Amino acid sequence: MQGAICLDILKDAWSPVLTLKSTLISLQSLLCDPAPNDPQDAEGKLTTPRKRRANESVAKHYLTDRASFNKTAKHWAQAYAQAPANKQSREAGKVMTDAEQAGLSEASVVQFTEMGFPREKVVS
């Protein structure tokens, strides 16, 4: 598993008109609505049967044992992408702010809101 992403606008359908925001929205859409019944060969490199089976095994894991798949995905996100361990702040009982949940520092959000930007737009 290489971690490649099969998203047409990153390759064949790329256009200079696309913004980073539209690209990230497309990526978010793909991640929120996976197609495990049709696992993709994102880079066209899954030429060996072993590599194809590995790719298909992720999709099979997703389809057959979603709880275990989610646990594995959470582990990978925390281990390799520095994802937070949970949605709670380090202080017991304190819920994270919308800025923290979006991966932003509260200080940065305050700076932008003081410049006149609406908080909802800064955090989204």
Side-chain angles (χ1 to χ4, degrees):
M1 290 174 276
Q2 300 295 319
I5 295 172
C6 187
L7 188 60
D8 62 345
I9 65 169
L10 295 178
K11 191 173 183 180
D12 301 329
W14 173 251
S15 164
V17 176
L18 294 171
T19 64
L20 179 59
K21 183 175 182 175
S22 64
T23 304
L24 291 174
I25 289 170
S26 295
L27 178 59
Q28 180 184 31
S29 175
L30 177 67
L31 294 173
C32 289
D33 189 24
N37 291 320
D38 184 23
Q40 300 289 318
D41 175 5
E43 294 181 350
K45 294 181 180 176
L46 302 182
T47 55
T48 67
R50 181 178 180 192
K51 289 180 181 178
R52 280 192 296 275
R53 281 193 305 274
N55 193 42
E56 291 167 357
S57 71
V58 174
K60 184 177 180 183
H61 189 194
Y62 179 89
L63 290 169
T64 58
D65 190 351
R66 186 66 185 270
S68 174
F69 175 88
N70 288 344
K71 185 176 178 182
T72 301
K74 181 178 180 179
H75 167 73
W76 285 351
Q78 291 169 346
Y80 302 110
Q82 300 174 352
N86 56 42
K87 292 286 184 183
Q88 294 287 323
S89 290
R90 297 200 196 298
E91 297 177 36
K94 183 179 179 223
V95 177
M96 292 176 74
T97 67
D98 57 345
E100 292 169 327
Q101 289 178 355
L104 305 169
S105 73
E106 186 63 33
S108 296
V109 172
V110 169
Q111 283 180 326
F112 279 99
T113 56
E114 287 175 350
M115 287 188 255
F117 292 96
R119 183 177 180 90
E120 309 81 54
K121 296 285 185 183
V122 174
V123 175
S124 67

